[in-house]
Amino acid sequence: MRMIAVAGAGLLLGLAGCGNESGAGVGTGASLQGRTYLSTAVTEDGKPKQLVPNSRIRLTFSDDGRLIAEAGCNSMQSAVDTGDGKLSLDKQLAMTAMGCDEPRHRQDGWLSKILTSDPAWKLEGDRLTLTSGGTTISLTDRETAEPDLALDGTKWSLETVVSNDTASHQVGSEKAWITINGERVTGSTGCNELQGKVAQATGKLTFGEIATTRRACPGHAGKLEQTLLSGLKGDVSYQIDSNRLKLRSGANGLDFTAAR
């Protein structure tokens, strides 16, 4: 995904390095690596802080020593050292370049400042707590908070289109969706209804020809329809992470979220 400079966090191009958990956490063998945590509560100076509606803080500690964080819109990341009970990130974060509304843009900036302030961390079972100044973020392991949804029977709404190193939210994408049931896929391009066949294998879907209704789709609607249908063609890999479905074919792909 394309990365841009973040106000107050800067631009990071090199993400080499690995985490170090010496002296961190609670209890012997406490480890963050390879786990994802979702926020359950945020307080500032002892008072609850309300996040932007329908948003949640998401922290992923990758196996290669990076922290990947989200606050409702863009994704930010950096190499991270978790030693001595602190999250030590490079003071410059890399961030995707998706457009956000102003409340979510401010929330992205707020989270980046917290993460680059060397917050203290504490892990107790599946509960992670970050503390920086008067701010406390309480999180729970993603597998406990939001188990993976089933591929079949879930209505997946299009959220992001990935093309090479760029992720974008196309106009009208919230109207596009798919549902897979066995060997059948149905849905909407945001303009026309669609249906077709799909074969399932472990981590892979193979789409047959997709048929659509014949309503004219001018402008953005036509572009979105073409993009969606291109992503539902032939062999694609898939991954489900909680309420998210990622389809990939080479450097291109489609990201969906489960419809509420």
Side-chain angles (χ1 to χ4, degrees):
M1 296 183 183
R2 185 163 59 95
M3 300 291 181
I4 62 169
V6 186
L11 173 65
L12 173 69
L13 296 179
L15 295 175
C18 56
N20 175 1
E21 300 198 355
S22 175
V26 174
T28 303
S31 178
L32 300 176
Q33 196 170 48
R35 302 173 73 176
T36 295
Y37 296 88
L38 303 177
S39 64
T40 55
V42 180
T43 61
E44 288 187 335
D45 299 323
K47 298 179 180 179
K49 174 181 172 61
Q50 298 300 318
L51 298 179
V52 175
N54 298 320
S55 71
R56 199 171 195 178
I57 297 168
R58 183 185 189 91
L59 303 180
T60 298
F61 296 85
S62 69
D63 289 329
D64 61 357
R66 291 174 297 136
L67 172 62
I68 304 167
E70 300 174 39
C73 185
N74 279 293
S75 174
M76 59 193 83
Q77 60 178 291
S78 166
V80 60
D81 188 315
T82 56
D84 299 323
K86 300 282 188 179
L87 291 187
S88 298
L89 283 68
D90 292 292
K91 300 308 178 185
Q92 298 178 329
L93 297 179
M95 183 178 280
T96 54
M98 291 176 57
C100 311
D101 53 62
E102 184 58 29
R104 289 188 298 162
H105 177 74
R106 289 196 305 268
Q107 190 160 280
D108 279 350
W110 167 82
L111 181 60
S112 72
K113 290 179 180 178
I114 294 293
L115 295 177
T116 55
S117 68
D118 294 339
W121 68 274
K122 182 178 181 181
L123 182 63
E124 297 178 295
D126 61 2
R127 297 188 299 276
L128 172 66
T129 303
L130 299 187
T131 305
S132 176
T135 301
T136 298
I137 303 175
S138 301
L139 308 101
T140 298
D141 189 290
R142 194 278 302 169
E143 293 184 3
T144 299
E146 290 186 355
D148 294 340
L149 294 178
L151 174 66
D152 280 20
T154 301
K155 182 177 180 180
W156 300 104
S157 296
L158 183 62
E159 182 177 62
T160 306
V161 174
V162 177
S163 179
N164 295 314
D165 61 349
T166 302
S168 62
H169 179 85
Q170 294 194 5
V171 175
S173 62
E174 66 279 355
K175 299 178 181 179
W177 59 273
I178 61 170
T179 295
I180 295 173
N181 284 291
E183 297 181 349
R184 182 176 174 81
V185 57
T186 56
S188 172
T189 68
C191 178
N192 281 295
E193 297 177 4
L194 67 85
Q195 61 176 319
K197 291 187 176 182
V198 59
Q200 299 186 33
T202 303
K204 185 177 79 170
L205 298 173
T206 301
F207 290 94
E209 183 176 354
I210 303 293
T212 68
T213 52
R214 297 184 178 275
R215 183 182 298 111
C217 305
H220 291 300
K223 181 179 179 181
L224 178 63
E225 177 169 286
Q226 183 178 16
T227 298
L228 178 62
L229 294 177
S230 294
L232 304 178
K233 182 179 294 184
D235 292 338
V236 302
S237 64
Y238 82 89
Q239 178 182 4
I240 295 176
D241 182 0
S242 182
N243 65 339
R244 301 179 178 191
L245 169 66
K246 293 185 177 182
L247 303 184
R248 292 293 184 271
S249 178
N252 301 321
L254 304 171
D255 289 352
F256 298 83
T257 57
R260 290 184 170 84

